[in-house]
């Protein structure tokens, strides 16, 4: 497939590349956080948008990687770079367990099962105080020294997230990605065509989990703090809302969704502590009025105007 | 020996509480195909309402009643919101999830982050002696309520007109409607019944598990496990599932205190490998 709007992509890249100049200081770190969450949202979209399986466990996978990095660097005193593969490995291991259990289900059952599995991770992080620090969490700088400067870190995250986005884009357009789409449309037909749908979903899940883990590692380096709320359901919900706002099945919509939610979170948090309430209201309103997402809504609105 | 017996009793009483929560959940899930993720938040709301009503009036029973009424009314609000996304399972689930976040935050605003315990009435305080151990009367009371609700629900579903209507509405709501019955009213009644059960559970659970801001997620994950193990829409499944989860979590907490969540999860995983729809689940 050809890129339909090369100019738009170029403009977006230019805007992203000039962030430290146009939005210095605190705003740069906000942009870094947005990129980290965009990666999480895209990883969720692989399952929700392409495989047609809406997961509620990615906060847990993301948070597991964050916990592993924080524990390895701050408590065990390990090398921050070595923490990267360890975090990814942990995310893969957790996704493997989740996937093995969940890929045979679909629809609401898949959602419920992944929700319950994610909650278990949260419960373990909450109670396994000797390792996770319980409610207090783990604190300390886990970022490699080379990336200490916020601007350097921003560019590092930008390059990592864009490369990951490119890999994911290739992934969903590959024959394998198309087979996931086929499973979304009709699993029974794909199976009768000779596809091992369970294994395809398993691989799709693992890839999605790996990407969620990568964003979790970046988050650990960014935030220098992890607590049970990082792996909580609200995290998965936030990621999923970003996907829905950006448009399910659009992949790069994750950038838009993440930007909208992160900016909103910051604006709302400066006025009130009731962010969780706003998130809930947002969810309810989106489900009732714009289930195809804000981007999808805008697109259909524009299409209607163009036709006129 | 006596400590094992004590744990066994604890499991049974915890199972009764879980059944109260999960039966409402599975009722709504099985009959109306709605996964109500706000169920845990409803439970917590019920607990808080019971606490404040009971301390203000000095009567446990008034607190229980207030919890039932308040949560059933909240259920009515939720049911009317759900009408906007009728027929789309995923949108329904995500809407209830949003509601859960809202309710949880509202509880934090209204009741604060402190831990409360619903005060029990004097006639339920203190222990009784049986089988050579002393056991709290209140927990036995919860156990008997759980058992009573199980039989009550079974009778309701299988021996009354409303139960017959509910079951008929699940199979073919259009035909039921064509026979001149307001099926929507039946479903609203079912939903409110499920919510009332969550309210009862909140009031009863609020006295022995105590109430705090994350209690809703904990009870939700337990009831999810119950429904996943038992299969959706099945009362017997909810009862067996509650018992299994309660036994696993009680003994798990004694043997592996830090990893008790894992202990529920292991057998659940094994079961799913062989019966993806749960013990009593049927393909519909």
């Amino acid at each position: 497939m050809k890129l339909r709007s090369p100019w738009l992509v170029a403009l977006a890249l230019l805007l992203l590349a000039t962030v430290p100049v146009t939005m210095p200081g605190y705003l740069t770190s906000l942009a870094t956080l947005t990129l980290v969450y965009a990666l999480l949202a895209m990883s969720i979209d692989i399952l929700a948008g392409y495989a047609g399986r809406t997961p509620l466990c990615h906060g847990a996978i993301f948070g597991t990687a964050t916990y592993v990095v924080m524990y390895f660097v701050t408590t065990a005193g390990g090398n921050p770079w070595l923490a990267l593969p360890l975090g990814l490995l942990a995310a893969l291991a957790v996704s493997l367990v989740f996937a093995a259990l969940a890929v045979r289900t679909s629809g609401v059952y898949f959602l419920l099962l992944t929700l319950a599995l994610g909650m278990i991770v949260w419960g373990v992080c909450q109670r396994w105080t000797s390792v996770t620090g319980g409610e207090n969490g783990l604190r300390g700088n886990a970022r490699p020294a080379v990336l200490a400067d916020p601007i350097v870190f921003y560019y590092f995250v930008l390059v990592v997230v864009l490369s990951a986005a490119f890999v994911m884009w290739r992934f969903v357009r590959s024959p394998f990605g198309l087979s996931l789409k086929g499973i979304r449309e009709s699993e029974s037909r794909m199976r009768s065509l000779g596809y091992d749908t369970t294994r395809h979903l398993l691989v799709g899940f693992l890839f999605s989990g790996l990407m969620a883990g990568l964003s979790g590692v970046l988050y650990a380096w960014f935030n220098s703090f992890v607590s049970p709320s990082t792996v909580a359901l609200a995290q998965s919900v936030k990621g999923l809302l970003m996907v829905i706002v950006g448009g399910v099945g659009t992949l790069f919509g994750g950038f838009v969704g993440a930007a909208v939610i992160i900016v909103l979170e910051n604006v709302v948090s400066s006025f009130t502590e009731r962010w969780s309430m706003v998130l809930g209201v947002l969810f309810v309103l989106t489900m009732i009025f714009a289930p195809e997402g804000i981007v999808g809504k805008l697109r259909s609105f524009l299409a209607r105007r163009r036709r006129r | 020996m006596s400590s094992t017996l004590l744990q066994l009793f604890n499991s049974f009483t915890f199972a009764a509480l879980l059944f109260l929560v999960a039966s409402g959940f599975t009722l709504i899930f099985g009959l109306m195909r709605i996964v109500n993720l706000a169920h845990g938040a409803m439970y917590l709301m019920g607990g808080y309402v019971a606490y404040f009503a009971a301390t203000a009036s000095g009567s446990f029973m008034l607190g229980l009643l207030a919890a039932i009424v308040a949560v059933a009314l909240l259920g009515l609000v939720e049911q009317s919101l759900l009408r906007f996304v009728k027929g789309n399972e995923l949108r329904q689930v995500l809407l209830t999830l949003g509601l859960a976040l809202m309710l949880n935050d509202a509880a934090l605003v209204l009741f604060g982050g402190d831990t409360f315990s619903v005060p029990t009435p004097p006639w339920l305080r203190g222990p009784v002696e049986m089988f050579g151990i002393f056991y709290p009367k209140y927990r036995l009371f919860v156990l008997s309520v759980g058992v009573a609700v199980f039989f009550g629900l079974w009778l309701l579903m299988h021996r009354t007109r409303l139960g017959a209507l509910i079951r008929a509405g699940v199979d073919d709501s259009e035909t039921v409607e064509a026979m001149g019955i307001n099926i929507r009213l039946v479903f609203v009644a079912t939903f409110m019944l499920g919510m009332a059960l969550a309210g009862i559970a909140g009031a009863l659970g609020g006295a022995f598990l105590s109430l705090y801001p994350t209690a809703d997620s904990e009870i939700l994950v337990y009831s999810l496990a119950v429904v996943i193990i038992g299969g959706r829409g099945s009362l017997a499944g909810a009862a067996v599932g509650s018992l299994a989860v309660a036994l696993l979590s009680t003994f798990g907490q004694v043997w592996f205190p830090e990893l008790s969540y894992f202990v529920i999860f292991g057998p659940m995983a094994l079961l799913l490998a062989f019966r993806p729809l749960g013990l009593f689940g049927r393909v519909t």
Side-chain angles (χ1 to χ4, degrees):
Chain A
M1 189 197 128
K2 223 170 38 176
L3 266 180
R4 244 179 300 168
S5 40
W7 287 109
L8 206 65
V9 173
L11 184 68
L13 286 178
L14 187 72
L15 279 178
L16 283 172
T18 53
V19 158
V21 185
T22 52
M23 308 195 296
Y26 173 65
L27 289 176
T28 303
S29 77
L30 212 58
T32 315
L33 187 64
T34 304
L35 287 172
V36 172
Y37 270 105
L39 182 54
L40 176 67
M42 285 187 283
S43 78
I44 294 174
D45 200 19
I46 290 177
L47 281 181
Y50 292 89
R53 301 280 193 280
T54 311
L56 275 178
C57 59
H58 275 53
I61 300 173
F62 169 92
T64 304
T66 312
Y67 260 109
V68 166
V69 170
M70 291 303 292
Y71 182 81
F72 182 71
V73 178
T74 61
T75 311
N79 181 321
W81 286 112
L82 197 57
L84 171 69
L86 281 178
L88 293 182
L89 219 61
L92 264 185
V94 172
S95 329
L96 183 65
V97 176
F98 285 9
L101 291 171
V103 288
R104 287 174 61 194
T105 58
S106 63
V108 177
Y109 268 101
F110 183 84
L111 188 107
L112 274 189
L113 197 55
T114 50
L115 170 85
L117 292 170
M119 288 272 214
I120 289 159
V121 172
W122 170 77
V124 169
C125 289
Q126 184 106 338
R127 301 210 179 146
W128 199 6
T129 22
S130 52
V131 171
T132 64
E135 280 286 358
N136 297 326
L138 301 169
R139 195 182 292 275
N141 182 24
R143 203 188 294 176
V146 192
L147 305 172
D149 181 62
I151 293 177
V152 175
F153 186 58
Y154 171 79
Y155 281 116
F156 174 77
V157 171
L158 182 64
V159 169
V160 171
V161 170
L162 285 183
S163 335
F166 178 71
V167 172
M168 279 187 268
W169 185 66
R170 288 304 300 262
F171 180 84
V172 296
R173 299 207 173 271
S174 68
F176 185 87
L178 292 178
S179 77
L180 285 184
K181 260 186 165 171
I183 293 170
R184 179 187 72 190
E185 296 305 326
S186 170
E187 188 173 351
S188 56
R189 265 186 223 175
M190 287 300 280
R191 195 172 295 147
S192 59
L193 282 172
Y195 287 92
D196 185 348
T197 54
T198 308
R199 192 188 295 168
H200 278 237
L201 282 173
L202 187 79
V203 173
F205 199 119
L206 283 179
F207 180 68
S208 160
L210 182 71
M211 289 297 142
L214 182 61
S215 66
V217 172
L218 292 178
Y219 184 72
W221 285 353
F222 172 81
N223 206 34
S224 307
F225 174 63
V226 66
S227 72
S229 68
T230 309
V231 294
L233 176 62
Q235 191 83 340
S236 308
V237 171
K238 199 159 115 183
L240 187 59
L241 188 60
M242 287 172 183
V243 175
I244 293 170
V245 166
V248 177
T250 58
L251 198 64
F252 298 140
F255 284 105
V256 181
V260 170
I261 302 294
I262 296 285
V263 167
L264 202 66
E265 181 173 10
N266 269 274
V267 172
V268 170
S269 301
S270 64
F271 290 114
T272 146
E273 283 178 14
R274 303 272 71 84
W275 165 240
S276 162
M277 174 74 78
V278 174
L279 194 66
V281 173
L282 216 62
F283 227 94
V284 171
L285 291 181
T286 315
M287 281 306 124
I288 292 178
F289 296 111
E292 71 273 52
I294 291 174
V295 172
K297 194 95 188 164
L298 274 179
R299 197 179 284 166
S300 63
F301 177 72
L302 287 178
R304 228 178 303 145
R305 286 201 54 179
R306 212 169 291 154
R307 229 176 298 138
R308 214 174 281 161
Chain B
M1 176 58 212
S2 70
S3 83
T4 310
L5 197 64
L6 195 69
Q7 296 303 340
L8 213 57
F9 267 110
N10 280 344
S11 314
F12 290 153
T13 49
F14 186 44
L17 180 73
L18 278 184
F19 176 75
L20 287 174
V21 188
S23 60
F25 187 82
T26 201
L27 199 68
I28 295 169
F29 186 16
L31 302 181
M32 304 169 67
R33 314 275 151 87
I34 293 173
V35 180
N36 183 21
L37 293 182
H39 210 81
M42 293 287 187
Y43 159 91
L44 188 61
M45 274 290 177
Y48 280 130
V49 169
Y51 170 79
F52 282 99
T55 41
S57 68
S59 157
F60 178 74
M61 285 301 156
L62 266 182
L64 184 63
L65 202 67
I68 294 174
V69 172
V71 178
L73 285 179
L74 277 175
L76 196 62
V77 174
E78 185 180 357
Q79 159 78 10
S80 46
L81 277 176
L82 279 170
R83 208 169 287 164
F84 287 106
V85 291
K86 213 175 151 205
N88 187 326
E89 284 192 336
L90 218 53
R91 278 170 74 187
Q92 283 175 342
V93 183
L94 296 174
L95 191 142
T96 62
L97 190 60
L99 271 178
L101 290 176
M102 285 165 66
L103 281 174
N104 194 351
D105 205 50
L108 203 61
V109 176
L110 291 171
F111 309 116
D114 296 332
T115 302
F116 298 110
S117 277
V118 178
T120 50
W123 55 278
L124 284 175
R125 280 180 210 148
V128 282
E129 193 190 351
M130 45 195 253
F131 306 114
I133 56 167
F134 290 95
Y135 201 73
K137 272 186 210 163
Y138 180 75
R139 278 183 164 251
L140 293 175
F141 168 71
V142 173
L143 179 60
S144 49
V145 172
V147 173
V149 165
F150 174 76
F151 285 110
L153 279 179
W154 193 86
L155 285 176
L156 175 77
M157 293 306 291
H158 296 275
R159 291 284 181 274
T160 68
R161 189 178 143 79
L162 178 65
L165 281 179
I166 293 173
R167 282 180 292 132
V170 171
D171 288 337
D172 190 344
S173 62
E174 275 184 6
T175 308
V176 178
E177 235 173 341
M179 292 171 124
I181 286 150
N182 190 346
I183 191 71
R184 199 180 286 166
L185 213 61
V186 175
F187 278 148
V188 170
T190 315
F191 201 88
M192 287 179 73
L193 174 66
M195 288 296 102
L197 285 169
I200 297 176
L204 295 183
F208 81 87
L209 292 182
S210 74
L211 304 158
Y212 44 90
T214 55
D216 61 331
S217 326
E218 283 174 19
I219 211 80
L220 181 68
V221 80
Y222 279 125
S223 38
L224 280 178
V226 168
V227 175
I228 289 172
I229 289 175
R232 80 173 183 194
S234 157
L235 279 179
V240 173
S242 306
L243 206 55
V245 170
L247 282 169
L248 287 169
S249 88
T250 308
F251 284 95
Q253 248 156 26
V254 178
W255 292 329
F256 320 98
E258 288 193 319
L259 300 172
S260 59
Y261 260 64
F262 245 56
V263 184
I264 320 173
F265 155 84
M268 190 178 95
L270 249 173
L271 183 85
L272 276 173
F274 296 104
R275 283 194 70 101
L277 291 176
L279 284 177
F280 292 81
R282 282 170 308 168
V283 184
T284 44

